[in-house]
Amino acid sequence: MIGLSRRLALVLLLSFAGTTAALDYPTRAVRWIVPYPPGGSTDVLARMMSQWLSDKMGQSFVIENKAGGGNNIGVEFVVKSPPDGYTMLLVNPANGINTTLYKNLPFDFIRDIAPVAGLVRAPNVMEVTSPNSSPTARRTPGRSTWRPRAAAPRCICRANCSSP
C-alpha cells in the first residue's frame, strides 16, 4: 500500500503534470492560506499538516491566517494569487455554502479553486422542518425553517488520489 506521504506527493505532482517544474516541486516555501483566525481547530489542523508536509517535502509550508467575510477574504486572496502551486487554501464546507449565500462573490469557487487533497471528513446534515412539525412553522405558513445539525465528526487525515 502506498504511504500517505507518497500519495500526497503524487497528488501534488499530478496537479502540475506537463510542466518540468513538477519534477522538483516545491523549490521554495508554499503559502497555505487558512481563512480563519489563529488558534481554532481549522488553524491547528493546518499547522499540524504544514509541519508534516514541510518534513516530507523538504520545503516550508507557511500558514497565513486571512480571516473574515465568512472565509471569502482568504478565498479571494488565493484566487488573485498566481496559479503556480505556491499558494494553497484550506477549504471547508463553508466555502461551498458561501457560493449559495453570497450573490456577488468576486470569484467562482468551483472554477477558480482546484482540489489537491482531502484531509478531514466531517458529516454535515441540514434539517428542514415540515409545515406542521413545530409551533414556529405553524405560525409562519409557507416558510420552512432550518438549522444545521452535525453528527459526531470523525477526523480522517488522508490524501485523496481520485479525481473529483
Side-chain angles (χ1 to χ4, degrees):
M1 177 178 265
I2 260 182
L4 178 61
S5 61
R6 287 187 180 170
R7 284 190 287 170
L8 187 55
L10 178 64
V11 168
L12 289 170
L13 288 174
L14 289 176
S15 67
F16 299 102
T19 66
T20 57
L23 299 176
D24 58 354
Y25 176 84
T27 59
R28 58 185 167 92
V30 177
R31 299 167 80 184
W32 199 351
I33 306 304
V34 177
Y36 285 98
S41 59
T42 305
D43 179 61
V44 170
L45 170 69
R47 291 180 190 282
M48 289 172 35
M49 288 305 302
S50 71
Q51 182 61 52
W52 184 83
L53 285 169
S54 295
D55 293 344
K56 298 296 180 191
M57 303 290 282
Q59 287 291 338
S60 295
F61 282 70
V62 180
I63 300 300
E64 291 185 33
N65 299 89
K66 299 215 178 280
N71 291 353
N72 293 327
I73 291 172
V75 175
E76 185 176 5
F77 179 84
V78 171
V79 167
K80 290 181 176 179
S81 298
D84 59 4
Y86 287 91
T87 304
M88 295 181 7
L89 174 68
L90 185 64
V91 175
N92 67 24
N95 299 113
I97 294 166
N98 286 349
T99 63
T100 64
L101 289 179
Y102 300 98
K103 299 288 184 213
N104 298 315
L105 290 172
F107 53 84
D108 179 335
F109 185 77
I110 302 300
R111 181 194 68 220
D112 296 334
I113 301 292
V116 175
L119 300 177
V120 175
R121 305 258 182 211
N124 289 294
V125 176
M126 180 182 288
E127 178 182 295
V128 179
T129 61
S130 66
N132 297 315
S133 65
S134 73
T136 303
R138 286 190 292 272
R139 281 194 310 270
T140 57
R143 291 181 57 198
S144 292
T145 59
W146 69 276
R147 61 181 168 237
R149 296 274 183 167
R154 295 180 325 189
C155 295
I156 302 170
C157 184
R158 68 181 183 88
N160 185 355
C161 296
S162 60
S163 298

